Amino acid sequence: MPQSRQSPQPNASPAPGDQRFPFAAPAPGVGTVAIAVGVAVFTAREDKMTRTNKAYARISVRNATGGATLNVWSEKLPLLEGLTVGAPVRLTCSRVTAREGTDEWQFDAIEPIDPVHPVRREAMPICPVPRASLIARTMQILDAMSVEARDVFTRVMQTPVRWPDGALAPIKGAYVDAPAAIGHHHAHLGGLWWHSIQVTEGAVALARTYAAHDAPDLDLDAVRLGGLLHDLGKVDEYRFDTIIAMAPLSGSMSHMGHGLRRITEAVLRAELHDGWVPSIRQRDLLEHVHHIIASHHMQREWGAISEPASREAWFVQSADLVSSRVQPITDATQSMQDRGDGWVSVKDGWRTKTVFVSPQARDAGVVRENTDVSSGLAPLLQLHVPLDLPHTEE
């Protein structure tokens, strides 16, 4: 959707008594009830029905400490009247123990506050990885591509797109600014770019492992190009001008469908407007990338248009799944809000899950490996094959 090209402004100091609602560091104590009041930004509302046909709403709120999705049951729906997406609000919640035994926030009350309150700037968190690092990692991926594959990626990124606000701009601007999600993983400006790099690096690592010994005929160009473009349609699925939210176009098709549409538009424009004649190799790559985009959610039940039907598609799908699951755990360990035994609470959409983080990760923050190759264990790897095999009659 039309994206704001302005650099995010630093957060202003909150007014006295305007504490941020503590999403990232809620009140401690399993099984206890605690009340929290603070300011946040109202970022989304979805009206739903219970199994007994009672109306309720699922709302999303966010500030600099994090965010949450809360259920507002029918008796409290009037509290949402007049609230608009992007409005600063004062939120009141109770911390309760869910059926799974984990603590979560339960909605109590919400009220609008000053529409220009500084918290409004906190609705769109920013990618924590420096842009210089993302550029360097992207260039490393592109440098490893063939000239033909890199040409395809460049043409897609340079394709002008007419956004709903009337602006005409290359899609690369939205690609590097868009989030990868509203919640759960890479839910910040630049999240799509970062996630795409992670997926590509992971998929290439898997493919190289197989190519080195068991599958030398793998198409690493397709893996790299598919990894970088697998979520391209998220530039249409989300809006990220003043808040991160679902865009109007998200209802027409999934980000997989939008991604296929954007690449098709890029190819048609390059052929009709620029006179580009793709080589046979480039046509094959584009067909393969189309399949990778359509299948990277693996199952139709998860939104996939088709299931992976190539090794390269499986590598991208696997890396995509790992990136979307591992990054939330990594994010949670940054504040290490654990119970003292290595279990950490992680937000997964509107659910809270508990995951295990090795105690050593809380020590020096490094992965320890034994790199001593002269450990004396080599004889254990030698197979003992008797020279005199017994003769058997058939």
Side-chain angles (χ1 to χ4, degrees):
M1 299 307 298
Q3 316 316 333
S4 172
R5 305 297 178 208
Q6 298 178 356
S7 301
Q9 301 178 20
N11 297 329
S13 301
D18 275 339
Q19 300 285 336
R20 270 34 179 182
F21 191 93
F23 297 116
V30 176
T32 62
V33 176
I35 303 295
V37 181
V39 298
V41 179
F42 181 66
T43 59
R45 172 178 176 170
E46 181 183 9
D47 292 307
K48 303 177 74 67
M49 298 291 289
T50 67
R51 293 179 181 177
T52 57
N53 292 322
K54 289 185 178 180
Y56 74 100
R58 184 170 291 162
I59 66 169
S60 297
V61 282
R62 170 171 288 279
N63 62 23
T65 76
T69 302
L70 306 166
N71 288 332
V72 181
W73 303 113
S74 56
E75 64 273 13
K76 294 187 177 180
L77 282 178
L79 295 175
L80 302 181
E81 291 182 5
L83 288 181
T84 58
V85 170
V89 295
R90 182 168 288 104
L91 185 68
T92 304
C93 290
S94 302
R95 185 168 173 80
V96 298
T97 301
R99 286 179 297 180
E100 296 82 6
T102 58
D103 281 5
E104 63 181 27
W105 290 118
Q106 176 180 282
F107 174 86
D108 287 336
I110 192 170
E111 59 179 324
I113 58 175
D114 186 351
V116 296
H117 190 285
V119 74
R120 75 190 190 283
R121 298 173 183 160
E122 300 170 19
M124 294 195 296
I126 302 170
C127 177
V129 179
R131 180 155 292 210
S133 175
L134 297 177
I135 292 174
R137 290 164 67 179
T138 303
M139 293 308 302
Q140 186 174 20
I141 294 170
L142 295 177
D143 286 343
M145 286 184 181
S146 68
V147 173
E148 289 174 304
R150 191 161 55 245
D151 179 45
V152 171
F153 180 78
T154 300
R155 290 182 183 279
V156 171
M157 289 293 105
Q158 291 179 345
T159 301
V161 174
R162 180 74 66 183
W163 299 106
D165 67 349
L168 184 67
I171 201 170
K172 65 181 180 181
Y175 178 82
V176 301
D177 285 348
I182 295 177
H184 178 40
H185 75 95
H186 303 86
H188 38 61
L189 296 179
L192 169 61
W193 186 16
W194 183 24
H195 170 63
S196 300
I197 292 171
Q198 283 186 346
V199 170
T200 306
E201 292 171 341
V204 168
L206 283 170
R208 278 179 168 169
T209 299
Y210 278 81
H213 303 288
D214 304 313
D217 59 333
L218 287 171
D219 190 344
L220 294 182
D221 269 349
V223 174
R224 293 187 177 97
L225 196 56
L228 288 177
L229 296 177
H230 79 283
D231 268 349
L232 178 65
K234 288 186 175 180
V235 303
D236 293 299
E237 189 168 44
Y238 302 117
R239 57 172 293 199
F240 43 102
D241 41 9
T242 56
I243 60 168
I244 293 175
M246 300 303 294
L249 277 178
S250 62
S252 62
M253 67 178 86
S254 70
H255 66 270
M256 284 159 279
H258 286 300
L260 296 174
R261 176 173 64 88
R262 288 300 183 190
I263 291 179
T264 300
E265 289 173 349
V267 172
L268 288 175
R269 186 185 189 282
E271 290 180 324
L272 299 176
H273 184 272
D274 301 332
W276 180 52
V277 179
S279 66
I280 294 176
R281 167 62 176 158
Q282 288 174 321
R283 293 195 193 102
D284 289 342
L285 269 175
L286 283 164
E287 183 176 356
H288 205 162
V289 168
H290 272 75
H291 172 67
I292 289 173
I293 292 173
S295 65
H296 77 269
H297 273 207
M298 187 171 71
Q299 301 177 16
R300 288 186 172 87
E301 293 80 2
W302 296 353
I305 298 173
S306 63
E307 296 182 0
S310 72
R311 296 165 297 177
E312 294 81 0
W314 276 112
F315 293 138
V316 174
Q317 184 278 321
S318 299
D320 176 55
L321 183 63
V322 169
S323 172
S324 67
R325 295 300 187 268
V326 169
Q327 194 57 51
I329 300 176
T330 303
D331 294 340
T333 60
Q334 303 305 310
S335 57
M336 295 310 296
Q337 298 294 326
D338 63 75
R339 306 183 313 199
D341 57 3
W343 292 95
V344 180
S345 294
V346 178
K347 292 296 293 183
D348 181 3
W350 60 274
R351 299 179 302 166
T352 298
K353 298 191 299 188
T354 301
V355 298
F356 180 75
V357 178
S358 173
Q360 79 167 15
R362 294 176 288 167
D363 182 9
V366 297
V367 177
R368 297 178 177 85
E369 294 182 349
N370 179 14
T371 57
D372 183 6
V373 295
S374 58
S375 60
L377 297 177
L380 293 176
L381 301 178
Q382 296 177 356
L383 295 177
H384 175 68
V385 181
L387 296 179
D388 298 323
L389 297 177
H391 177 71
T392 57
E393 296 288 347
E394 294 186 356

